[in-house]
Amino acid sequence: MAYIVPIHRPSSVRHALKLKLLDPDEDCLCVAKANRLEVYTQTPDGLILHHCQAIYGKVSMLQKLRPASSATDHLFVGTDRSMYFTLAWDRSECQFKTEKSFVDQADRSARDSDSGDRCLVDPSGRFMTLELYEGIITVLPTVQKSKRKGDPDVGSLGDPVLSRISELFVRSSAFVHPRKPSDKPRIALLYEDSQQNVRVKARELAFTAGGAGDSGSVDLNDIEGVYYEAESGASHLIPVPAPAYGMFIIGETSITYLDEINNQTLVEPLSEATIFVAWEQISPQQFLLADDYGKLYLLFLMLRDNDVVEGWKLEIIGETSRASVLVYLNNGYVFVGSHHGDSQVIQLGEKSIEVVQVFPNIAPIMDFSIMDMGSRGGDDQTNEFSSGQARIVTGSGVYKDGSLRSVRSGVGMEEQAVLGEMENINELFSLKSTGTSDFVDTLVVSFVNETRVFQFSRDGDVEEVEEYHGLTLSESTLLAANISNNRLLQITTSTVRLLELESGMLVCDWTSPDGQAITAASANDLKVALSVGGTKVTVLDIGHDLKLIAEKKFGNESQIACVTVPFSSAQICIVGFWQNASISILKLESLDVLQTEVIGEEGVSVPRSVLVTQILSEQPPTVFVATADGNVLTYSMNLEDYTLSGKKSVVLGTQQANLKSLPRGNGLYNVFATCEHPSLIHGSEGHIVYSAITAEKASCVCTFDSEFYPGSIAIATSEDLKIVLVDAERMTHVQTLPLYETVRRIAYSTKLKAFGLGTIKRTLEEGTENVQSHFKLADEVKFKELDTYALNDDELVESVIRAELDDGFGDVADRFIVGTSYLDDEQGESMRGRILVFEATEDRRLKLVAEQALRGACRALAMVKGKIVAALIKTVVLYSFEYETPSKPFLTKGATYRTSTAPIDITVDDNFIAVADLMKSVSIVEYKRGEKGLPDTLDEVARHFQTTWATAVAHIDENTYLESDAEGNLMVLNQNINGVTEDDRRRLNITSEMLLGELVNKMRKINVPTAPHATLSLRAFLATVEGSIYLFALIAPEKQDLLMRLQANIAKIVESLGKIPFNKYRAFKSGVREAEEPFRFVDGEVIEQFVDCSADVQERIVEGLGVDVEDVRSMVDGLRRLH
């Protein structure tokens, strides 16, 4: 049984609308992202997200209407499953409420419109039309005033009425603005006839109201004389309001103004041909146009004094993301919603634009790869996304909006101030200048051979001071802290100093009698523990003027790596040693050893930072040990005898982490671990959670709770010093590297520490579109382009993988393998594609080491038992990588397998190859190595006997595969290898299926260890065209019934927007068959709604499940932590 939940929600914007939804006097922006509605309010700082809510369906249209009884606009929403409803904003509950629902308007006898769903509203507000099917216009009249009792609200939508038209392929349509109030509504249609001629005609809408129980009738009558033959590239109709009236016909090479009353036209050619994709009206005479190449145009209608059209003028005013929708906000601000790149808010200037706000969008995801930040040294990656250990790197966007996106779960930071460029900062400490202050106001910055002090005013102004309360600034500071009795403690590499806070007078100091340097230090209010010379531990009493309490020499064979003194009530210190990879707990009074704990392998797991803190409430303190190899170990400490137990280990990186505690209130602390991948360690619901932090270069931190920057921390990088605010919870963070090319394929090599990218670049030169494909090598950290290999003209990259291949000297090395195809027929039958093998040289350059001409495009690549598997047109072929000489490798064709139509994707498990076919679902092919001189073979052993337009496939469990199709469905297929008959064993059976509602472009199997009694076993990441990334898992057998019944109860009790049934929303649907409900599939978003329900609703949901509310809440909280 399967479980799916989004870890990155859809970000593609295809529909947006400005309306007065929240307040009668203020406009807001409603944006649709796949199955989510987002409402933004306009502020001086830009658009602010006000509300976000998921619906049961992918949004296909948005429109607004205003019933007479409502002070605000209502939102009309249509979905891809032919379900439509209107929403209003409930100000008392601060959420949407459903006003009217047309649950199912599907016509199974009609054919879907090829140009997409459209929704229009008559300028008079009397009618709304839906164009869903070819040759059919659905009319929804708005309720007018009548004398009948019991009528619904005036202005609300009435029942739908269907009207048939002869125009089948309608490219665009629009209601023409009426010249007189008495005019009947007129709808103009831009359509393509059976001879592929593009024409414009107008129809008049005549509605006859029905009696009781009758929805009435609609006639769309031809208007004589309104007929125009447009250019073949015409794509949009734009209605022109008063005083000019008429309409624009937007083409690729010309723009035409048409006056439908007088049947007059004005045609002017464009200076350069282009493809327009979106438009928006700014004023009665000004319109914005956006083209396929990201250019933004201003179309200005010029009128004579008598309001007669004289002509029009078109100017390029700037460049944006390729727009899917344009919405004019106000005061020159425009929202550019994009599917191909980031959405933006721009401000119009005089023949120019300025981008003032950007909304990141990772759609469409063409391909992705997974970087395991915790174990990058090999292929055994755990891919645990929730902890921030796994970074998903996506190839996102199209053409000029193409980019690499790094998607990672973690704790974000908001920059408050930058103190300046400072290098080689060793440590940071925050101090209070007075003993009575509740806030710190001083930052002590320690360098290799000096200390600098910065003081902050109440207004946030900062000043560097040359002297501060007697601190020594000519040495590196190991520790600086406020302690009791209004005193300051400073420990440098040579001295321990105790100072009066008010006067700066030196109370006492301590220096090593033999002049040895202090290499590590820790203190609380009562005691100081020092490592002197790296071989001796010294304990001083703060309350008795740094009196020596104990001293112990460990010798050169037990050199000290780190030391820590816990909270004041603890009478111990903990010391870490270099040579034997261990830590010891010592009594402060005598330095006798209470316990020694070996933490790992000698010489590798060297303890470099030790910290004791209270991270979990109502539990013992936790001991953290950071080692030189990037691990962080945790122990639970028994306060009675100070023994350690419950050892756990987490890999944070490849370098040592420095640990610093940050107070979070109520006596609890978080731990900031600085390494090459900084993490925040915090407690959540009784568990220790490791969350990545979006601070790639952090070297050291300290808390900085000042009056002007409350709750902040100071953070030093290799370049500068900042004051930042840290997020209270883990979120998904996206980083962008623009490439300005479509990143079609991406592969990652842990050994080379680099990405291999297959890209496609499109340029427009003198009206001619040129396409060039490249293979690029990019650095794993900065995504910096290291080298580029240009493919041949008209050759496109189709697939890229990383593989271990023979290096010609008896060893294996990482290589990138690239599959290509050709666009034209000039290559002839001898070459329709190529396989290219690249080596990354020591100076990180690309070197082509082998190539193989193909008779078909190479759609997918994989490795099986050291052989290259290539999915060509109609054939899967096996190639051997061999050497003629150690410097001359070549590819040899081996076994082949003929597919039903064309292979789209392949995945390999051991010697079994799963082939996703264009039309015929999935087949399983077994590779057998030839013996006794016989050739290798590829034999089909199982098949899914169903027509399915597959898009991706992944192996998720033994004899189990996950498949996605072009209609947005997911299927789990299982091969019953123990079947009774041969037919049983050859058949792939569906064990789970559901409609995801988004087209999946790529799947990647993941390997996450499953804990005993875990509810889920994580199996794969899925990336979609809409910018979503989903986590797929298998449900433990003992939890399957509970989760299925919990999902059913939530779907039944919690009402959805539009009152759309959950089963209808998630039921499998294709051109071949349609199910009634999802089959053995659990939607994680539905399950997670449980914790947001009120207590009484939760009680109703768990009724009959055999568990109580707390058990379910605990389980759901655990599921949420997985992502």
Side-chain angles (χ1 to χ4, degrees), residues 904 916-922 948-952 963-966:
I904 294 297
D917 189 86
L918 176 65
M919 294 177 61
K920 295 297 183 181
S921 196
V922 172
T948 300
W949 294 71
T951 60
E963 179 193 8
S964 62
D965 71 13

Side-chain angles (χ1 to χ4, degrees), residues 503-520:
S503 64
M505 295 284 293
L506 179 66
V507 177
C508 59
D509 62 1
W510 180 91
T511 305
S512 175
D514 51 11
Q516 287 185 306
I518 301 172
T519 58

Side-chain angles (χ1 to χ4, degrees), residues 526-791:
L526 303 177
K527 303 290 191 300
V528 175
L530 308 171
S531 168
V532 180
T535 59
K536 181 169 60 177
V537 174
T538 300
V539 180
L540 307 176
D541 190 340
I542 294 176
H544 293 82
D545 295 339
L546 301 180
K547 175 184 176 183
L548 180 66
I549 296 177
E551 195 171 58
K552 185 172 184 177
K553 188 173 180 64
F554 288 89
N556 292 329
E557 69 281 356
S558 298
Q559 293 190 4
I560 299 165
C562 54
V563 62
T564 188
V565 178
F567 31 85
S568 301
S569 59
Q571 298 299 313
I572 61 164
C573 67
I574 302 177
V575 179
F577 296 96
W578 280 97
Q579 279 86 346
N580 54 9
S582 66
I583 58 171
S584 293
I585 300 176
L586 312 177
K587 285 184 178 180
L588 276 179
E589 299 298 330
S590 62
L591 294 180
D592 292 337
V593 177
L594 296 176
Q595 180 183 350
T596 296
E597 180 78 18
V598 177
I599 61 173
E601 182 182 351
E602 288 189 22
V604 177
S605 299
V606 179
R608 298 294 289 121
S609 181
V610 180
L611 181 69
V612 183
T613 191
Q614 189 73 44
I615 198 168
L616 300 173
S617 61
E618 300 179 4
Q619 293 191 29
T622 303
V623 178
F624 292 87
V625 183
T627 64
D629 58 355
N631 283 274
V632 172
L633 296 90
T634 61
Y635 299 86
S636 179
M637 173 181 279
N638 187 328
L639 289 179
E640 294 183 2
D641 56 7
Y642 302 113
T643 55
L644 304 180
S645 61
K647 176 182 176 181
K648 296 179 182 177
S649 177
V650 171
V651 180
L652 288 188
T654 59
Q655 303 172 11
Q656 73 180 55
N658 294 314
L659 307 174
K660 186 68 71 77
S661 63
L662 305 174
R664 58 182 294 192
N666 298 322
L668 300 178
Y669 293 81
N670 294 336
V671 176
F672 197 116
T674 54
C675 56
E676 78 266 38
H677 306 297
S679 295
L680 188 74
I681 309 171
H682 54 99
S684 176
E685 297 157 4
H687 301 274
I688 296 177
V689 178
Y690 294 76
S691 298
I693 294 181
T694 55
E696 292 297 313
K697 300 178 182 178
S699 57
C700 53
V701 301
C702 74
T703 180
F704 194 74
D705 185 21
S706 68
E707 190 168 357
F708 193 76
Y709 301 112
S712 299
I713 67 169
I715 181 168
T717 71
S718 58
E719 301 168 352
D720 53 23
L721 178 60
K722 303 175 182 178
I723 306 297
V724 301
L725 268 178
V726 179
D727 285 347
E729 60 182 15
R730 184 181 66 218
M731 301 171 65
T732 298
H733 300 274
V734 178
Q735 293 177 312
T736 304
L737 174 71
L739 289 181
Y740 310 107
E741 301 180 38
T742 300
V743 183
R744 189 174 189 186
R745 295 291 178 257
I746 179 170
Y748 173 61
S749 169
T750 57
K751 293 181 180 178
L752 299 175
K753 296 184 177 179
F755 289 97
L757 309 175
T759 67
I760 302 174
K761 185 175 185 178
R762 182 182 68 171
T763 56
L764 186 67
E765 299 176 2
E766 298 180 354
T768 302
E769 186 175 279
N770 300 311
V771 175
Q772 177 68 57
S773 200
H774 301 89
F775 178 67
K776 299 175 182 287
L777 188 69
D779 177 73
E780 69 164 359
V781 177
K782 297 182 179 179
F783 298 142
K784 176 185 177 183
E785 185 179 314
L786 302 173
D787 197 16
T788 298
Y789 179 90
L791 300 184

Side-chain angles (χ1 to χ4, degrees), residues 496-507:
V496 181
R497 296 164 56 83
L498 205 58
L499 305 159
E500 289 288 351
L501 182 60
E502 299 297 335
S503 64
M505 295 284 293
L506 179 66
V507 177

Side-chain angles (χ1 to χ4, degrees), residues 934-1102:
L934 295 175
D936 297 347
T937 59
L938 291 175
D939 299 317
E940 181 179 301
V941 295
R943 172 183 290 275
H944 180 219
F945 294 93
Q946 182 172 304
T947 299
T948 300
W949 294 71
T951 60
V953 66
H955 174 260
I956 55 171
D957 203 3
E958 186 176 0
N959 304 311
T960 306
Y961 301 86
L962 176 64
E963 179 193 8
S964 62
D965 71 13
E967 294 169 285
N969 297 295
L970 292 179
M971 290 166 285
V972 178
L973 305 174
N974 178 260
Q975 180 188 4
N976 182 12
I977 60 173
N978 299 315
V980 177
T981 66
E982 179 67 21
D983 184 65
D984 291 339
R985 294 188 290 273
R986 283 184 51 81
R987 188 176 295 273
L988 290 177
N989 299 307
I990 295 177
T991 59
S992 300
E993 66 176 16
M994 69 172 279
L995 177 72
L996 183 65
E998 300 177 48
L999 190 150
V1000 175
N1001 258 343
K1002 211 68 181 175
M1003 301 177 182
R1004 298 286 186 193
K1005 182 181 179 180
I1006 58 176
N1007 177 27
V1008 178
T1010 303
H1013 311 297
T1015 303
L1016 299 180
S1017 176
L1018 309 185
R1019 295 301 186 190
F1021 289 135
L1022 286 65
T1024 77
V1025 169
E1026 302 300 326
S1028 301
I1029 302 176
Y1030 288 89
L1031 177 63
F1032 175 86
L1034 296 177
I1035 305 173
E1038 64 273 13
K1039 299 290 186 180
Q1040 292 177 0
D1041 180 66
L1042 174 60
L1043 282 175
M1044 286 295 292
R1045 290 196 294 149
L1046 177 62
Q1047 175 177 261
N1049 286 2
I1050 294 175
K1052 180 181 177 181
I1053 295 172
V1054 180
E1055 185 176 287
S1056 67
L1057 286 183
K1059 301 178 181 178
I1060 299 175
F1062 170 78
N1063 284 343
K1064 180 74 173 177
Y1065 163 51
R1066 285 302 192 196
F1068 179 97
K1069 182 185 180 183
S1070 71
V1072 177
R1073 66 181 179 91
E1074 184 173 352
E1076 295 296 324
E1077 61 184 6
F1079 176 58
R1080 290 170 57 83
F1081 232 117
V1082 175
D1083 185 340
E1085 279 198 285
V1086 173
I1087 296 296
E1088 291 175 9
Q1089 287 182 33
F1090 179 83
V1091 296
D1092 299 323
C1093 296
S1094 61
D1096 60 324
V1097 172
Q1098 288 181 344
E1099 290 287 352
R1100 290 170 57 201
I1101 290 173
V1102 302

Side-chain angles (χ1 to χ4, degrees), residues 738-946:
L739 289 181
Y740 310 107
E741 301 180 38
T742 300
V743 183
R744 189 174 189 186
R745 295 291 178 257
I746 179 170
Y748 173 61
S749 169
T750 57
K751 293 181 180 178
L752 299 175
K753 296 184 177 179
F755 289 97
L757 309 175
T759 67
I760 302 174
K761 185 175 185 178
R762 182 182 68 171
T763 56
L764 186 67
E765 299 176 2
E766 298 180 354
T768 302
E769 186 175 279
N770 300 311
V771 175
Q772 177 68 57
S773 200
H774 301 89
F775 178 67
K776 299 175 182 287
L777 188 69
D779 177 73
E780 69 164 359
V781 177
K782 297 182 179 179
F783 298 142
K784 176 185 177 183
E785 185 179 314
L786 302 173
D787 197 16
T788 298
Y789 179 90
L791 300 184
N792 296 332
D793 292 342
D794 292 324
E795 186 180 20
L796 295 183
V797 65
E798 293 280 358
S799 52
V800 176
I801 64 168
R802 177 215 63 89
E804 288 186 341
L805 297 177
D806 187 356
D807 66 355
F809 298 96
D811 204 350
V812 295
D814 269 19
R815 300 285 187 260
F816 289 109
I817 308 174
V818 179
T820 74
S821 67
Y822 282 94
L823 286 173
D824 61 17
D825 295 323
E826 293 180 7
Q827 301 294 327
E829 291 298 321
S830 61
M831 186 187 295
R832 303 298 302 133
R834 289 193 295 168
I835 294 178
L836 309 174
V837 181
F838 289 95
E839 170 190 348
T841 62
E842 291 185 0
D843 58 350
R844 312 199 85 181
R845 312 292 291 179
L846 287 173
K847 178 183 177 183
L848 180 64
V849 296
E851 69 173 298
Q852 175 71 40
L854 305 172
R855 291 191 176 184
C858 183
R859 300 298 188 193
L861 290 165
M863 296 294 298
V864 57
K865 300 296 183 179
K867 307 279 188 178
I868 299 173
V869 185
L872 312 182
I873 295 297
K874 294 188 177 181
T875 313
V876 175
V877 183
L878 214 60
Y879 287 94
S880 299
F881 186 77
E882 300 174 352
Y883 280 85
E884 185 177 323
T885 68
S887 60
K888 278 185 112 175
F890 62 95
L891 297 177
T892 302
K893 184 178 179 180
T896 63
Y897 164 73
R898 186 80 169 177
T899 60
S900 299
T901 53
I904 294 297
D905 192 19
I906 54 178
T907 186
V908 174
D909 172 46
D910 194 25
N911 62 324
F912 292 95
I913 305 166
V915 182
D917 189 86
L918 176 65
M919 294 177 61
K920 295 297 183 181
S921 196
V922 172
S923 56
I924 309 300
V925 179
E926 182 180 13
Y927 162 64
K928 292 182 180 178
R929 193 182 299 274
E931 297 179 353
K932 299 179 181 180
L934 295 175
D936 297 347
T937 59
L938 291 175
D939 299 317
E940 181 179 301
V941 295
R943 172 183 290 275
H944 180 219
F945 294 93
Q946 182 172 304

Side-chain angles (χ1 to χ4, degrees), residues 85-112:
F85 51 90
T86 55
L87 301 174
W89 183 252
D90 188 331
R91 301 184 70 176
S92 61
E93 298 290 334
C94 292
Q95 63 182 16
F96 283 120
K97 64 177 180 180
T98 304
E99 292 292 330
K100 189 163 186 177
S101 176
F102 308 93
V103 171
D104 190 351
Q105 295 300 309
D107 187 341
R108 288 164 180 79
S109 64
R111 189 165 60 183
D112 288 343

